[in-house]
Amino acid sequence: MKKLVLPIFLSILLVGCNDEKTLEVNNANGEEVKEVAAIIKNEDEINSGRAIFVEDQLLVAVQAKPWLDYKKTKIEKNLKKKLEEILPEYDITVSSDYKLYWEAQKLLKEEDSEKVKEKLEKLKKLKKEET
Amino acid sequence: MNQEQFDKIEQEITPPTPYVKNVLKAFLVGGLICTIGHAITYFYIIFFDFTEKTVGNPTAATIIFISMLLTGFGLYKKIGQFAGAGSAVPVSGFGNAVISAAIEHRTEGFVLGVGGNMFKLAGSVILFGVSSAFVVSLIKLILVTMGVIEW
Amino acid sequence: MVIIFQSKPSIIASAAVAGPLERKSVFYSYFDSVVEDERWHQTTNEQGNAKMIEEACQILLKKANLNNLDIDFFLAGDLVNQMTPTNFAAKEIAASFIGLFSACATSVSSVIIACLLTELGASKYAIAGASSQHNSTERQFRYPIYYGAQKPATAQWTVTAAGFTLIGKHNPKNPSIVAATVGKVVDYGQTNPFHMGAAMAPAAYDTITKHLEKRKQTIKDYDVIMTGDLGKIGLEILKRMFAETGATQEELNIFRDAGAEFYGEDKSFLAGASGAGCSASVYFSYILQQLKDGRYKRVLLVATGSLLSPLTFQQGETIPCTAHAIEVTME
């Protein structure tokens, strides 16, 4: 038992330090995707992001880097501001909440845009809940 | 045998409290409890409609429920003897304090026994928890007003 | 104050009963009855404690071939508030009753008073003893039993056990009590309720030295000097106190402690056993048996008690302690 403790501890530590920024986007027009990708790439405080485009709506769910959790609201605010500047025609929702990040993964695969929209509305509502 | 002589003997023989060992044990068990808590948060986030903001309540309730079962079966006491602060500080320790007192005073009836004594130990946690929360939020309010940090 | 009993009252019979956890005790085989249920199949722990006392007294009467109407006095105590378990048991025994409280030293203080009454000629048969029940005592003095607080290595475990004796006129076939010392209250300023051994050791030291001095004896005059519930660390402190005042290693080996030995080397009981039932059940089973078997000729039983309440230690008071001793011999 005692012999196992150190290897397990080390592997957890090493897995935690995996440092590759990922960005996943659902099927949408190329120009906007590139712009969003560029912004997220430039944000040092973000670990990974998922962007969902549907009609005039954009959901960007990001995961902040470990240890930066306490700055979450600030990161969200900054990112939203930057995105709104380049994509003024979109209704943008930015969230660093894991729930939205997780659901965004499901939406990436969803083909039916009606369903995506419906789900997005629900997520926006969830985001507003306080307790 | 005078007081000084006795004090010297007493101090020589009484084993010192193993602080380092206790701290390590508390860290491990406390960390384990919190890891389980985190696993429960992810469970609620992934399978139910909870966000990081709202998941705290169901998680705390689940942990307290588990702690209630462990208390009733007499296991929490054993964990407590091993872990010390590690099992007392997380919310499960609060549950244990409430539930153990409730079980203890069951024989005096529900109103005066359970009702009157349930918060015998946990009452001070609530009092000092609420008052320290007040102070902390006051400090935060001041810092935010001054522009040092944001909400 | 040392009392010398001219008539040498005898311990006609004795009984010890214990709870389920006490199966782990090294003295287990000497107990008359061990019950499966900590609560003695009653609804509350306090009722269980009372039932335990009744059962011990019934075994005692059976052993002596007497019934409860033959008993003149019932002298006993326990650790619950107002000694209610003993009071309720006394109702069933229906003898003249005085409740006694010297904390864990009640096992011996009750015997001393029974001996005095016998010596006086007021009592033909008197039951003396003490009991403690783990759950009700923990609740009285510490936390709820299921509360997960960490106890330090100096803490002791209150036993569920009762020990009772029947004191009657001198009978050469039985162990007799020749002298007793009623201890003073000694306070060396100890304040930790989880380190009672250290608080009680000076009281035991005081009583033992007084007894030896007055009786013009040395430690070696005894086969064993057994303290009540100092625990492993308390016993070490007591031995060191005697070592500092010139006792040899051989003499120190005569000292034993019921609480330190009760659960053997089991680490989960920390410094050992405590409680009024600890000294009572060991003295009135194991020790008396050794005397009857002729292995011991003269023993000094020193029950120690810490006279604190949850109220006083929360108010920051020190823990006053006492120790009472009886000198038991076998002819």
Side-chain angles (χ1 to χ4, degrees):
Chain A
M1 183 62 208
K2 271 185 183 166
K3 279 182 189 166
L4 281 173
V5 172
L6 195 69
I8 290 172
F9 189 74
L10 277 177
S11 57
I12 289 170
L13 208 76
L14 292 173
V15 168
C17 291
N18 188 356
D19 204 32
E20 205 163 309
K21 202 178 264 187
T22 58
L23 179 67
E24 294 160 280
V25 186
N26 74 338
N27 51 335
N29 14 6
E31 203 47 42
E32 284 145 344
V33 173
K34 267 182 202 159
E35 281 168 345
V36 171
I39 285 174
I40 288 175
K41 282 260 157 62
N42 286 337
E43 286 291 321
D44 281 340
E45 288 155 335
I46 292 168
N47 210 7
S48 56
R50 282 167 188 161
I52 306 295
F53 288 90
V54 59
E55 292 169 15
D56 65 333
Q57 304 229 23
L58 169 61
L59 169 72
V60 179
V62 293
Q63 285 291 283
K65 284 210 171 132
W67 310 109
L68 292 175
D69 262 16
Y70 68 99
K71 280 170 125 181
K72 268 182 175 178
T73 39
K74 211 174 174 180
I75 295 171
E76 277 180 21
K77 232 170 145 185
N78 277 346
L79 190 60
K80 194 172 178 190
K81 220 168 127 193
K82 282 182 191 167
L83 287 171
E84 271 168 350
E85 270 170 27
I86 54 153
L87 301 167
E89 67 274 29
Y90 278 93
D91 175 9
I92 300 166
T93 311
V94 177
S95 174
S96 59
D97 199 294
Y98 187 75
K99 175 69 179 172
L100 275 81
Y101 186 73
W102 179 265
E103 294 297 331
Q105 190 197 23
K106 289 186 194 166
L107 294 183
L108 286 173
K109 291 170 200 145
E110 186 62 64
E111 299 285 333
D112 186 355
S113 69
E114 264 313 298
K115 272 191 183 164
V116 175
K117 211 181 164 201
E118 208 175 280
K119 201 79 186 279
L120 207 63
E121 288 301 323
K122 205 181 149 196
L123 287 180
K124 279 163 92 177
K125 223 169 163 187
L126 264 183
K127 193 180 177 278
K128 282 195 191 106
E129 272 180 25
E130 285 292 332
T131 50
Chain B
M1 180 102 349
N2 61 33
Q3 182 74 48
E4 288 81 42
Q5 271 175 302
F6 173 73
D7 286 345
K8 199 171 150 266
I9 292 173
E10 196 264 325
Q11 271 152 32
E12 263 176 46
I13 293 176
T14 306
T17 314
Y19 286 112
V20 176
K21 210 169 140 196
N22 284 356
V23 165
L24 280 176
K25 282 176 177 174
F27 176 76
L28 280 178
V29 177
L32 185 70
I33 292 172
C34 296
T35 311
I36 294 168
H38 226 83
I40 295 169
T41 19
Y42 279 127
F43 171 79
Y44 280 124
I45 287 179
I46 290 168
F47 296 104
F48 297 93
D49 283 342
F50 289 106
T51 57
E52 276 179 37
K53 220 184 253 173
T54 58
V55 80
N57 291 339
T59 307
T62 312
I63 290 281
I64 288 175
F65 184 80
I66 295 167
S67 144
M68 176 184 83
L69 291 179
L70 292 175
T71 303
F73 289 120
L75 290 170
Y76 207 88
K77 193 184 161 157
K78 288 178 185 167
I79 300 171
Q81 178 60 34
F82 177 79
S87 64
V89 174
V91 75
S92 55
F94 177 80
N96 171 249
V98 175
I99 292 146
S100 63
I103 296 172
E104 188 88 356
H105 292 277
R106 169 69 190 86
T107 53
E108 291 118 272
F110 279 114
V111 178
L112 293 176
V114 176
N117 293 293
M118 204 165 173
F119 292 98
K120 193 167 74 164
L121 294 163
S124 62
V125 179
I126 296 174
L127 172 66
F128 293 107
V130 169
S131 30
S132 55
F134 174 75
V135 173
V136 169
S137 47
L138 197 67
I139 292 169
K140 191 163 180 187
L141 178 70
I142 292 166
L143 289 178
V144 169
T145 322
M146 284 165 67
V148 182
I149 52 165
E150 280 186 67
W151 281 118
Chain C
M1 181 67 207
V2 182
I3 305 160
I4 292 156
F5 297 111
Q6 301 299 338
S7 72
K8 298 181 187 170
S10 283
I11 297 169
I12 311 287
S14 65
V17 298
L21 204 61
E22 281 61 36
R23 278 179 191 287
K24 291 184 179 171
S25 172
V26 294
F27 302 111
Y28 169 61
S29 57
Y30 293 93
F31 298 151
D32 295 292
S33 165
V34 172
V35 85
E36 286 304 323
D37 181 21
E38 182 86 24
R39 274 190 216 141
W40 249 263
H41 309 293
Q42 306 295 307
T43 358
T44 70
N45 286 313
E46 287 73 16
Q47 283 172 357
N49 195 346
K51 196 82 190 165
M52 172 168 74
I53 299 166
E54 281 170 39
E55 191 180 319
C57 292
Q58 272 163 14
I59 293 170
L60 185 67
L61 292 171
K62 210 173 165 193
K63 276 187 174 176
N65 245 333
L66 295 171
N67 70 49
N68 64 333
L69 296 177
D70 299 321
I71 305 303
D72 295 316
F73 289 98
F74 177 56
L75 307 156
D78 58 66
L79 298 175
V80 178
N81 259 2
Q82 286 85 37
M83 292 175 299
T84 43
T86 307
N87 297 345
F88 281 95
K91 183 177 76 178
E92 301 298 318
I93 292 158
S96 298
F97 166 66
I98 305 173
L100 299 166
F101 183 82
S102 327
C104 308
T106 312
S107 52
V108 165
S109 68
S110 61
V111 171
I112 294 172
I113 292 171
C115 290
L116 285 170
L117 289 167
T118 310
E119 181 113 337
L120 193 67
S123 158
K124 194 171 177 220
Y125 295 114
I127 294 179
S131 65
S132 59
Q133 202 245 15
H134 178 79
N135 293 358
S136 58
T137 311
E138 284 297 305
R139 170 190 186 153
Q140 181 68 54
F141 286 94
R142 295 180 191 100
Y143 302 117
I145 43 166
Y146 289 123
Y147 182 57
Q150 193 175 36
K151 286 182 182 174
T154 51
Q156 288 164 265
W157 181 274
T158 310
V159 300
T160 298
F164 283 87
T165 54
L166 188 69
I167 307 289
K169 290 199 169 57
H170 183 68
N171 178 344
K173 279 185 216 144
N174 288 314
S176 306
I177 295 140
V178 294
T181 299
V182 179
K184 291 191 296 186
V185 174
V186 176
D187 190 341
Y188 270 68
Q190 294 290 306
T191 49
N192 184 356
F194 288 110
H195 193 9
M196 305 263 237
M200 294 192 290
Y205 176 83
D206 184 70
T207 300
I208 295 167
T209 45
K210 289 268 161 57
H211 189 88
L212 295 177
E213 202 179 296
K214 196 72 181 258
R215 295 278 289 152
K216 297 189 176 64
Q217 292 165 327
T218 62
I219 296 167
K220 277 188 183 160
D221 288 323
Y222 290 93
D223 293 308
V224 64
I225 295 176
M226 199 177 221
T227 47
D229 54 358
L230 295 180
K232 286 171 181 138
I233 294 154
L235 180 63
E236 279 307 306
I237 293 173
L238 180 69
K239 280 186 179 178
R240 183 71 71 86
M241 289 174 91
F242 275 100
E244 297 264 312
T245 47
T248 62
Q249 187 56 46
E250 201 187 338
E251 284 177 317
L252 293 182
N253 289 341
I254 291 168
F255 287 99
R256 288 174 66 183
D257 182 65
E261 289 178 30
F262 199 88
Y263 291 112
E265 290 305 310
D266 195 334
K267 286 275 190 297
S268 54
F269 295 100
L270 304 165
S274 71
C278 169
S279 55
S281 63
V282 175
Y283 290 171
F284 305 149
S285 64
Y286 168 74
I287 292 288
L288 292 181
Q289 193 59 48
Q290 302 299 309
L291 283 162
K292 277 183 191 163
D293 292 349
R295 272 187 216 106
Y296 295 155
K297 287 278 172 234
R298 186 183 296 272
V299 298
L300 189 64
L301 304 178
V302 191
T304 47
S306 50
L307 308 169
L308 85 165
S309 81
L311 184 75
T312 61
F313 91 77
Q314 278 171 4
Q315 290 176 341
E317 301 263 9
T318 53
I319 304 172
C321 293
T322 190
H324 303 301
I326 46 172
E327 184 182 336
V328 189
T329 60
M330 186 75 193
E331 282 161 34

